[in-house]
Amino acid sequence: MQSICLVEGVRAAGVREGKYGIALIAASGTAAAVFTKNLVSAEPVRLMRERIAAGTLDGIVVNAGNANVFTGEQGYADACRMAEDAAAVLGTVPERIGVASTGVIGRYMKMETVARQIAEAGGMLRSDASAETDAARAIMTTDLVEKHAAAVRDGFVVAGITKGSGMIAPNMGTMLAFIYTDATIPAPDLQEALQTATSRSFNRVVVDGDTSTNDCVFCTATGRREAPDMVVFQEALEEVCISLARQIAADGEGATKLIEVRVTGAQTEEDAAAIARTVVSSPLVKTAVYGKDPNWGRIIAAAGRAGVDFNPVTATIAVTDGTRRVVLAEKGKICADSLMHPEALAEAASLMDGAEVIFEVLLDAGSAAATAWGCDLTERYVEINGKYTT
């Protein structure tokens, strides 16, 4: 699939050797970024928090296989070295290179391998679908598939790639996203748009509840086309971010099902988002989805611990597969149980048999809404993470 290479001014390449990989993306323009809120953050995150303030980038270099976290001044120097090597390849200065890492925490970088792969990727830069596929695959860790998204509008394109599968929770997860547009947008406006889009997408994904040390989302505007209507641009940016977020959730470690939680009728969007995230992060909800068990009591219980004030008696819980819909509980009335409503319970279980399960939580407390995404929790998740470094 072609996405970022649809954007005028973007070239990409990727190199992979075993678990070690390098993605190199060349694109000059105004830039914005958001980062993890984990107190323990990667050295490239520390570096880029300083440098992104300038609001311009000429390229991004990403390594897989080593997160470069808890590595101190040596790790910081290695992140700077990555920027220097990429800048030399792209003919710019290190201060205009974005740096990101993913992999194991608490390991020093193998800089000889990194430097060699950067040079190799530099000779492969191009603007076609295979280029961005190579870049996306180069930075996969436990991901099973690469992830792309694009939104084509009249006058501009927004597109992105991402990686992420485990250690995923709001603020964000072990996810790296690189988004591009050929629209002309000043850096402050781009930063505001990206923060809003991230809050409505990547910060509403929960795979396992662990907030990573390395999360980052970069957005570069190459300015090859005219300035867009910012409302239209915001919609396109959120479309891309939500698509990428859903792909991360669907590819959660060991996952068999995507979970979507839609909360409506809240007093504020923040309230709705808090409930949606809490429900989708609940291990009890996740395991119930894996077992195709319509145990809706777990959903209302999770909603009740989200820190949001609402009246449970006025709430409605439903499950849908996008076509059929079963109301499980409606404003204090039980609608699906093994004694009085076994047929509804059986139908609800059948709706959970597919690859996507959607829960609706209607609060009847206001007009605000929000959606969050996650996945089921399976034995495979334990297998993957029980032996991650060995």
PDB file of all heavy atoms in Angstrom, residues 326-360:
ATOM      1  N   VAL A 326     -27.234  -6.003  19.974  1.00  0.00           N
ATOM      2  CA  VAL A 326     -27.980  -6.559  21.099  1.00  0.00           C
ATOM      3  C   VAL A 326     -27.816  -5.634  22.292  1.00  0.00           C
ATOM      4  O   VAL A 326     -26.691  -5.298  22.687  1.00  0.00           O
ATOM      5  CB  VAL A 326     -27.495  -7.969  21.471  1.00  0.00           C
ATOM      6  CG1 VAL A 326     -28.190  -8.455  22.745  1.00  0.00           C
ATOM      7  CG2 VAL A 326     -27.759  -8.943  20.328  1.00  0.00           C
ATOM      8  N   VAL A 327     -28.925  -5.188  22.872  1.00  0.00           N
ATOM      9  CA  VAL A 327     -28.887  -4.399  24.097  1.00  0.00           C
ATOM     10  C   VAL A 327     -28.734  -5.356  25.268  1.00  0.00           C
ATOM     11  O   VAL A 327     -29.528  -6.291  25.429  1.00  0.00           O
ATOM     12  CB  VAL A 327     -30.161  -3.545  24.249  1.00  0.00           C
ATOM     13  CG1 VAL A 327     -30.149  -2.815  25.589  1.00  0.00           C
ATOM     14  CG2 VAL A 327     -30.266  -2.550  23.098  1.00  0.00           C
ATOM     15  N   LEU A 328     -27.723  -5.119  26.070  1.00  0.00           N
ATOM     16  CA  LEU A 328     -27.417  -6.009  27.199  1.00  0.00           C
ATOM     17  C   LEU A 328     -28.064  -5.526  28.492  1.00  0.00           C
ATOM     18  O   LEU A 328     -28.522  -6.321  29.307  1.00  0.00           O
ATOM     19  CB  LEU A 328     -25.900  -6.112  27.372  1.00  0.00           C
ATOM     20  CG  LEU A 328     -25.141  -6.583  26.125  1.00  0.00           C
ATOM     21  CD1 LEU A 328     -23.645  -6.408  26.307  1.00  0.00           C
ATOM     22  CD2 LEU A 328     -25.479  -8.038  25.820  1.00  0.00           C
ATOM     23  N   ALA A 329     -28.066  -4.214  28.666  1.00  0.00           N
ATOM     24  CA  ALA A 329     -28.732  -3.600  29.825  1.00  0.00           C
ATOM     25  C   ALA A 329     -29.182  -2.217  29.410  1.00  0.00           C
ATOM     26  O   ALA A 329     -28.454  -1.508  28.716  1.00  0.00           O
ATOM     27  CB  ALA A 329     -27.779  -3.520  31.015  1.00  0.00           C
ATOM     28  N   GLU A 330     -30.399  -1.834  29.828  1.00  0.00           N
ATOM     29  CA  GLU A 330     -30.943  -0.554  29.395  1.00  0.00           C
ATOM     30  C   GLU A 330     -31.585   0.192  30.562  1.00  0.00           C
ATOM     31  O   GLU A 330     -32.604  -0.238  31.097  1.00  0.00           O
ATOM     32  CB  GLU A 330     -31.970  -0.758  28.284  1.00  0.00           C
ATOM     33  CG  GLU A 330     -32.512   0.546  27.711  1.00  0.00           C
ATOM     34  CD  GLU A 330     -33.432   0.303  26.527  1.00  0.00           C
ATOM     35  OE1 GLU A 330     -33.904  -0.849  26.362  1.00  0.00           O
ATOM     36  OE2 GLU A 330     -33.661   1.260  25.762  1.00  0.00           O
ATOM     37  N   LYS A 331     -30.924   1.268  30.980  1.00  0.00           N
ATOM     38  CA  LYS A 331     -31.440   2.162  32.014  1.00  0.00           C
ATOM     39  C   LYS A 331     -31.963   1.403  33.234  1.00  0.00           C
ATOM     40  O   LYS A 331     -33.116   1.530  33.639  1.00  0.00           O
ATOM     41  CB  LYS A 331     -32.523   3.064  31.420  1.00  0.00           C
ATOM     42  CG  LYS A 331     -31.988   3.995  30.336  1.00  0.00           C
ATOM     43  CD  LYS A 331     -33.015   4.976  29.836  1.00  0.00           C
ATOM     44  CE  LYS A 331     -32.404   5.938  28.829  1.00  0.00           C
ATOM     45  NZ  LYS A 331     -33.366   6.931  28.333  1.00  0.00           N
ATOM     46  N   GLY A 332     -31.078   0.586  33.787  1.00  0.00           N
ATOM     47  CA  GLY A 332     -31.423  -0.142  35.003  1.00  0.00           C
ATOM     48  C   GLY A 332     -32.116  -1.462  34.778  1.00  0.00           C
ATOM     49  O   GLY A 332     -32.348  -2.222  35.726  1.00  0.00           O
ATOM     50  N   LYS A 333     -32.464  -1.780  33.536  1.00  0.00           N
ATOM     51  CA  LYS A 333     -33.169  -3.028  33.224  1.00  0.00           C
ATOM     52  C   LYS A 333     -32.199  -4.028  32.602  1.00  0.00           C
ATOM     53  O   LYS A 333     -31.509  -3.721  31.627  1.00  0.00           O
ATOM     54  CB  LYS A 333     -34.316  -2.755  32.256  1.00  0.00           C
ATOM     55  CG  LYS A 333     -35.077  -3.997  31.835  1.00  0.00           C
ATOM     56  CD  LYS A 333     -36.144  -3.646  30.815  1.00  0.00           C
ATOM     57  CE  LYS A 333     -36.865  -4.893  30.324  1.00  0.00           C
ATOM     58  NZ  LYS A 333     -37.870  -4.565  29.275  1.00  0.00           N
ATOM     59  N   ILE A 334     -32.150  -5.237  33.139  1.00  0.00           N
ATOM     60  CA  ILE A 334     -31.311  -6.301  32.591  1.00  0.00           C
ATOM     61  C   ILE A 334     -31.980  -6.870  31.346  1.00  0.00           C
ATOM     62  O   ILE A 334     -33.143  -7.276  31.382  1.00  0.00           O
ATOM     63  CB  ILE A 334     -31.097  -7.405  33.636  1.00  0.00           C
ATOM     64  CG1 ILE A 334     -30.323  -6.850  34.837  1.00  0.00           C
ATOM     65  CG2 ILE A 334     -30.354  -8.596  33.026  1.00  0.00           C
ATOM     66  CD1 ILE A 334     -30.252  -7.806  36.008  1.00  0.00           C
ATOM     67  N   CYS A 335     -31.245  -6.893  30.242  1.00  0.00           N
ATOM     68  CA  CYS A 335     -31.817  -7.334  28.965  1.00  0.00           C
ATOM     69  C   CYS A 335     -31.179  -8.616  28.434  1.00  0.00           C
ATOM     70  O   CYS A 335     -31.668  -9.184  27.451  1.00  0.00           O
ATOM     71  CB  CYS A 335     -31.671  -6.241  27.915  1.00  0.00           C
ATOM     72  SG  CYS A 335     -32.454  -4.675  28.362  1.00  0.00           S
ATOM     73  N   ALA A 336     -30.077  -9.052  29.041  1.00  0.00           N
ATOM     74  CA  ALA A 336     -29.406 -10.267  28.589  1.00  0.00           C
ATOM     75  C   ALA A 336     -28.830 -10.996  29.798  1.00  0.00           C
ATOM     76  O   ALA A 336     -27.904 -10.493  30.443  1.00  0.00           O
ATOM     77  CB  ALA A 336     -28.304  -9.939  27.586  1.00  0.00           C
ATOM     78  N   ASP A 337     -29.413 -12.154  30.137  1.00  0.00           N
ATOM     79  CA  ASP A 337     -28.907 -12.983  31.239  1.00  0.00           C
ATOM     80  C   ASP A 337     -29.353 -14.414  31.009  1.00  0.00           C
ATOM     81  O   ASP A 337     -30.216 -14.679  30.169  1.00  0.00           O
ATOM     82  CB  ASP A 337     -29.398 -12.449  32.588  1.00  0.00           C
ATOM     83  CG  ASP A 337     -30.886 -12.617  32.750  1.00  0.00           C
ATOM     84  OD1 ASP A 337     -31.663 -11.873  32.096  1.00  0.00           O
ATOM     85  OD2 ASP A 337     -31.293 -13.514  33.506  1.00  0.00           O
ATOM     86  N   SER A 338     -28.752 -15.323  31.752  1.00  0.00           N
ATOM     87  CA  SER A 338     -28.999 -16.743  31.508  1.00  0.00           C
ATOM     88  C   SER A 338     -30.360 -17.211  32.013  1.00  0.00           C
ATOM     89  O   SER A 338     -30.852 -18.253  31.570  1.00  0.00           O
ATOM     90  CB  SER A 338     -27.903 -17.585  32.164  1.00  0.00           C
ATOM     91  OG  SER A 338     -27.835 -17.315  33.555  1.00  0.00           O
ATOM     92  N   LEU A 339     -31.009 -16.444  32.916  1.00  0.00           N
ATOM     93  CA  LEU A 339     -32.287 -16.875  33.482  1.00  0.00           C
ATOM     94  C   LEU A 339     -33.489 -16.319  32.731  1.00  0.00           C
ATOM     95  O   LEU A 339     -34.352 -17.065  32.263  1.00  0.00           O
ATOM     96  CB  LEU A 339     -32.363 -16.463  34.954  1.00  0.00           C
ATOM     97  CG  LEU A 339     -31.392 -17.168  35.907  1.00  0.00           C
ATOM     98  CD1 LEU A 339     -31.537 -16.609  37.313  1.00  0.00           C
ATOM     99  CD2 LEU A 339     -31.645 -18.679  35.900  1.00  0.00           C
ATOM    100  N   MET A 340     -33.550 -14.993  32.591  1.00  0.00           N
ATOM    101  CA  MET A 340     -34.727 -14.352  32.019  1.00  0.00           C
ATOM    102  C   MET A 340     -34.601 -14.073  30.522  1.00  0.00           C
ATOM    103  O   MET A 340     -35.604 -14.054  29.806  1.00  0.00           O
ATOM    104  CB  MET A 340     -35.001 -13.036  32.757  1.00  0.00           C
ATOM    105  CG  MET A 340     -35.218 -13.206  34.254  1.00  0.00           C
ATOM    106  SD  MET A 340     -36.720 -14.160  34.614  1.00  0.00           S
ATOM    107  CE  MET A 340     -37.988 -13.027  34.026  1.00  0.00           C
ATOM    108  N   HIS A 341     -33.354 -13.869  30.042  1.00  0.00           N
ATOM    109  CA  HIS A 341     -33.169 -13.488  28.636  1.00  0.00           C
ATOM    110  C   HIS A 341     -32.030 -14.284  28.007  1.00  0.00           C
ATOM    111  O   HIS A 341     -31.049 -13.722  27.507  1.00  0.00           O
ATOM    112  CB  HIS A 341     -32.878 -11.987  28.527  1.00  0.00           C
ATOM    113  CG  HIS A 341     -33.859 -11.115  29.236  1.00  0.00           C
ATOM    114  ND1 HIS A 341     -33.679 -10.705  30.545  1.00  0.00           N
ATOM    115  CD2 HIS A 341     -35.038 -10.578  28.823  1.00  0.00           C
ATOM    116  CE1 HIS A 341     -34.701  -9.949  30.906  1.00  0.00           C
ATOM    117  NE2 HIS A 341     -35.550  -9.859  29.888  1.00  0.00           N
ATOM    118  N   PRO A 342     -32.128 -15.612  28.011  1.00  0.00           N
ATOM    119  CA  PRO A 342     -31.033 -16.438  27.474  1.00  0.00           C
ATOM    120  C   PRO A 342     -30.853 -16.280  25.967  1.00  0.00           C
ATOM    121  O   PRO A 342     -29.733 -16.404  25.462  1.00  0.00           O
ATOM    122  CB  PRO A 342     -31.452 -17.865  27.832  1.00  0.00           C
ATOM    123  CG  PRO A 342     -32.942 -17.804  27.987  1.00  0.00           C
ATOM    124  CD  PRO A 342     -33.222 -16.438  28.548  1.00  0.00           C
ATOM    125  N   GLU A 343     -31.943 -15.994  25.244  1.00  0.00           N
ATOM    126  CA  GLU A 343     -31.815 -15.823  23.792  1.00  0.00           C
ATOM    127  C   GLU A 343     -30.969 -14.601  23.458  1.00  0.00           C
ATOM    128  O   GLU A 343     -30.114 -14.635  22.568  1.00  0.00           O
ATOM    129  CB  GLU A 343     -33.200 -15.677  23.150  1.00  0.00           C
ATOM    130  CG  GLU A 343     -34.096 -16.886  23.321  1.00  0.00           C
ATOM    131  CD  GLU A 343     -34.873 -16.848  24.630  1.00  0.00           C
ATOM    132  OE1 GLU A 343     -34.669 -15.890  25.421  1.00  0.00           O
ATOM    133  OE2 GLU A 343     -35.659 -17.784  24.855  1.00  0.00           O
ATOM    134  N   ALA A 344     -31.184 -13.499  24.179  1.00  0.00           N
ATOM    135  CA  ALA A 344     -30.392 -12.292  23.949  1.00  0.00           C
ATOM    136  C   ALA A 344     -28.926 -12.537  24.293  1.00  0.00           C
ATOM    137  O   ALA A 344     -28.019 -12.064  23.601  1.00  0.00           O
ATOM    138  CB  ALA A 344     -30.946 -11.136  24.786  1.00  0.00           C
ATOM    139  N   LEU A 345     -28.697 -13.292  25.360  1.00  0.00           N
ATOM    140  CA  LEU A 345     -27.326 -13.594  25.765  1.00  0.00           C
ATOM    141  C   LEU A 345     -26.633 -14.432  24.695  1.00  0.00           C
ATOM    142  O   LEU A 345     -25.468 -14.188  24.359  1.00  0.00           O
ATOM    143  CB  LEU A 345     -27.328 -14.327  27.100  1.00  0.00           C
ATOM    144  CG  LEU A 345     -25.997 -14.338  27.869  1.00  0.00           C
ATOM    145  CD1 LEU A 345     -25.644 -12.935  28.328  1.00  0.00           C
ATOM    146  CD2 LEU A 345     -26.103 -15.267  29.072  1.00  0.00           C
ATOM    147  N   ALA A 346     -27.329 -15.399  24.146  1.00  0.00           N
ATOM    148  CA  ALA A 346     -26.766 -16.248  23.096  1.00  0.00           C
ATOM    149  C   ALA A 346     -26.482 -15.452  21.825  1.00  0.00           C
ATOM    150  O   ALA A 346     -25.448 -15.650  21.167  1.00  0.00           O
ATOM    151  CB  ALA A 346     -27.709 -17.411  22.798  1.00  0.00           C
ATOM    152  N   GLU A 347     -27.396 -14.545  21.486  1.00  0.00           N
ATOM    153  CA  GLU A 347     -27.173 -13.721  20.295  1.00  0.00           C
ATOM    154  C   GLU A 347     -25.984 -12.792  20.504  1.00  0.00           C
ATOM    155  O   GLU A 347     -25.177 -12.574  19.591  1.00  0.00           O
ATOM    156  CB  GLU A 347     -28.416 -12.905  19.956  1.00  0.00           C
ATOM    157  CG  GLU A 347     -28.269 -12.134  18.645  1.00  0.00           C
ATOM    158  CD  GLU A 347     -29.513 -11.359  18.266  1.00  0.00           C
ATOM    159  OE1 GLU A 347     -30.523 -11.428  19.005  1.00  0.00           O
ATOM    160  OE2 GLU A 347     -29.464 -10.666  17.240  1.00  0.00           O
ATOM    161  N   ALA A 348     -25.860 -12.248  21.715  1.00  0.00           N
ATOM    162  CA  ALA A 348     -24.722 -11.382  22.019  1.00  0.00           C
ATOM    163  C   ALA A 348     -23.414 -12.152  21.874  1.00  0.00           C
ATOM    164  O   ALA A 348     -22.425 -11.637  21.338  1.00  0.00           O
ATOM    165  CB  ALA A 348     -24.844 -10.813  23.429  1.00  0.00           C
ATOM    166  N   ALA A 349     -23.387 -13.402  22.349  1.00  0.00           N
ATOM    167  CA  ALA A 349     -22.184 -14.223  22.219  1.00  0.00           C
ATOM    168  C   ALA A 349     -21.835 -14.452  20.747  1.00  0.00           C
ATOM    169  O   ALA A 349     -20.657 -14.445  20.365  1.00  0.00           O
ATOM    170  CB  ALA A 349     -22.382 -15.556  22.931  1.00  0.00           C
ATOM    171  N   SER A 350     -22.855 -14.620  19.924  1.00  0.00           N
ATOM    172  CA  SER A 350     -22.597 -14.840  18.504  1.00  0.00           C
ATOM    173  C   SER A 350     -22.002 -13.602  17.839  1.00  0.00           C
ATOM    174  O   SER A 350     -21.232 -13.712  16.881  1.00  0.00           O
ATOM    175  CB  SER A 350     -23.891 -15.247  17.787  1.00  0.00           C
ATOM    176  OG  SER A 350     -24.784 -14.148  17.644  1.00  0.00           O
ATOM    177  N   LEU A 351     -22.350 -12.419  18.352  1.00  0.00           N
ATOM    178  CA  LEU A 351     -21.799 -11.180  17.800  1.00  0.00           C
ATOM    179  C   LEU A 351     -20.317 -11.026  18.137  1.00  0.00           C
ATOM    180  O   LEU A 351     -19.624 -10.222  17.519  1.00  0.00           O
ATOM    181  CB  LEU A 351     -22.568  -9.968  18.342  1.00  0.00           C
ATOM    182  CG  LEU A 351     -24.034  -9.842  17.948  1.00  0.00           C
ATOM    183  CD1 LEU A 351     -24.628  -8.554  18.496  1.00  0.00           C
ATOM    184  CD2 LEU A 351     -24.188  -9.882  16.446  1.00  0.00           C
ATOM    185  N   MET A 352     -19.848 -11.774  19.121  1.00  0.00           N
ATOM    186  CA  MET A 352     -18.457 -11.674  19.546  1.00  0.00           C
ATOM    187  C   MET A 352     -17.574 -12.717  18.872  1.00  0.00           C
ATOM    188  O   MET A 352     -16.415 -12.910  19.250  1.00  0.00           O
ATOM    189  CB  MET A 352     -18.374 -11.815  21.069  1.00  0.00           C
ATOM    190  CG  MET A 352     -19.150 -10.750  21.812  1.00  0.00           C
ATOM    191  SD  MET A 352     -19.244 -11.022  23.602  1.00  0.00           S
ATOM    192  CE  MET A 352     -17.547 -10.777  24.074  1.00  0.00           C
ATOM    193  N   ASP A 353     -18.100 -13.355  17.864  1.00  0.00           N
ATOM    194  CA  ASP A 353     -17.381 -14.435  17.196  1.00  0.00           C
ATOM    195  C   ASP A 353     -16.485 -13.933  16.072  1.00  0.00           C
ATOM    196  O   ASP A 353     -15.637 -14.672  15.575  1.00  0.00           O
ATOM    197  CB  ASP A 353     -18.376 -15.459  16.639  1.00  0.00           C
ATOM    198  CG  ASP A 353     -17.716 -16.774  16.280  1.00  0.00           C
ATOM    199  OD1 ASP A 353     -16.793 -17.187  17.005  1.00  0.00           O
ATOM    200  OD2 ASP A 353     -18.103 -17.383  15.259  1.00  0.00           O
ATOM    201  N   GLY A 354     -16.670 -12.688  15.661  1.00  0.00           N
ATOM    202  CA  GLY A 354     -15.903 -12.154  14.543  1.00  0.00           C
ATOM    203  C   GLY A 354     -14.585 -11.530  14.963  1.00  0.00           C
ATOM    204  O   GLY A 354     -14.158 -11.616  16.119  1.00  0.00           O
ATOM    205  N   ALA A 355     -13.920 -10.866  14.011  1.00  0.00           N
ATOM    206  CA  ALA A 355     -12.609 -10.261  14.254  1.00  0.00           C
ATOM    207  C   ALA A 355     -12.718  -8.902  14.937  1.00  0.00           C
ATOM    208  O   ALA A 355     -11.706  -8.357  15.390  1.00  0.00           O
ATOM    209  CB  ALA A 355     -11.858 -10.108  12.933  1.00  0.00           C
ATOM    210  N   GLU A 356     -13.926  -8.337  15.011  1.00  0.00           N
ATOM    211  CA  GLU A 356     -14.106  -7.021  15.629  1.00  0.00           C
ATOM    212  C   GLU A 356     -15.336  -7.044  16.518  1.00  0.00           C
ATOM    213  O   GLU A 356     -16.412  -7.476  16.096  1.00  0.00           O
ATOM    214  CB  GLU A 356     -14.250  -5.945  14.563  1.00  0.00           C
ATOM    215  CG  GLU A 356     -14.397  -4.545  15.110  1.00  0.00           C
ATOM    216  CD  GLU A 356     -14.349  -3.481  14.021  1.00  0.00           C
ATOM    217  OE1 GLU A 356     -13.814  -3.774  12.921  1.00  0.00           O
ATOM    218  OE2 GLU A 356     -14.854  -2.368  14.263  1.00  0.00           O
ATOM    219  N   VAL A 357     -15.173  -6.586  17.755  1.00  0.00           N
ATOM    220  CA  VAL A 357     -16.270  -6.522  18.718  1.00  0.00           C
ATOM    221  C   VAL A 357     -16.434  -5.069  19.157  1.00  0.00           C
ATOM    222  O   VAL A 357     -15.470  -4.436  19.581  1.00  0.00           O
ATOM    223  CB  VAL A 357     -15.991  -7.422  19.944  1.00  0.00           C
ATOM    224  CG1 VAL A 357     -17.121  -7.294  20.960  1.00  0.00           C
ATOM    225  CG2 VAL A 357     -15.809  -8.864  19.517  1.00  0.00           C
ATOM    226  N   ILE A 358     -17.653  -4.561  19.054  1.00  0.00           N
ATOM    227  CA  ILE A 358     -17.928  -3.169  19.390  1.00  0.00           C
ATOM    228  C   ILE A 358     -18.886  -3.118  20.570  1.00  0.00           C
ATOM    229  O   ILE A 358     -19.969  -3.708  20.528  1.00  0.00           O
ATOM    230  CB  ILE A 358     -18.549  -2.420  18.192  1.00  0.00           C
ATOM    231  CG1 ILE A 358     -17.624  -2.513  16.965  1.00  0.00           C
ATOM    232  CG2 ILE A 358     -18.821  -0.960  18.562  1.00  0.00           C
ATOM    233  CD1 ILE A 358     -18.292  -2.069  15.674  1.00  0.00           C
ATOM    234  N   PHE A 359     -18.481  -2.405  21.619  1.00  0.00           N
ATOM    235  CA  PHE A 359     -19.358  -2.171  22.760  1.00  0.00           C
ATOM    236  C   PHE A 359     -19.813  -0.718  22.747  1.00  0.00           C
ATOM    237  O   PHE A 359     -19.013   0.194  22.493  1.00  0.00           O
ATOM    238  CB  PHE A 359     -18.643  -2.459  24.083  1.00  0.00           C
ATOM    239  CG  PHE A 359     -18.310  -3.908  24.293  1.00  0.00           C
ATOM    240  CD1 PHE A 359     -17.003  -4.332  24.397  1.00  0.00           C
ATOM    241  CD2 PHE A 359     -19.321  -4.858  24.390  1.00  0.00           C
ATOM    242  CE1 PHE A 359     -16.690  -5.665  24.591  1.00  0.00           C
ATOM    243  CE2 PHE A 359     -19.028  -6.196  24.581  1.00  0.00           C
ATOM    244  CZ  PHE A 359     -17.707  -6.597  24.682  1.00  0.00           C
ATOM    245  N   GLU A 360     -21.078  -0.512  23.050  1.00  0.00           N
ATOM    246  CA  GLU A 360     -21.642   0.834  23.161  1.00  0.00           C
ATOM    247  C   GLU A 360     -22.021   1.098  24.616  1.00  0.00           C
ATOM    248  O   GLU A 360     -22.671   0.252  25.249  1.00  0.00           O
ATOM    249  CB  GLU A 360     -22.877   0.982  22.278  1.00  0.00           C
ATOM    250  CG  GLU A 360     -22.595   0.779  20.791  1.00  0.00           C
ATOM    251  CD  GLU A 360     -23.863   0.819  19.960  1.00  0.00           C
ATOM    252  OE1 GLU A 360     -24.971   0.876  20.567  1.00  0.00           O
ATOM    253  OE2 GLU A 360     -23.769   0.788  18.723  1.00  0.00           O
TER     254      GLU A 360
END
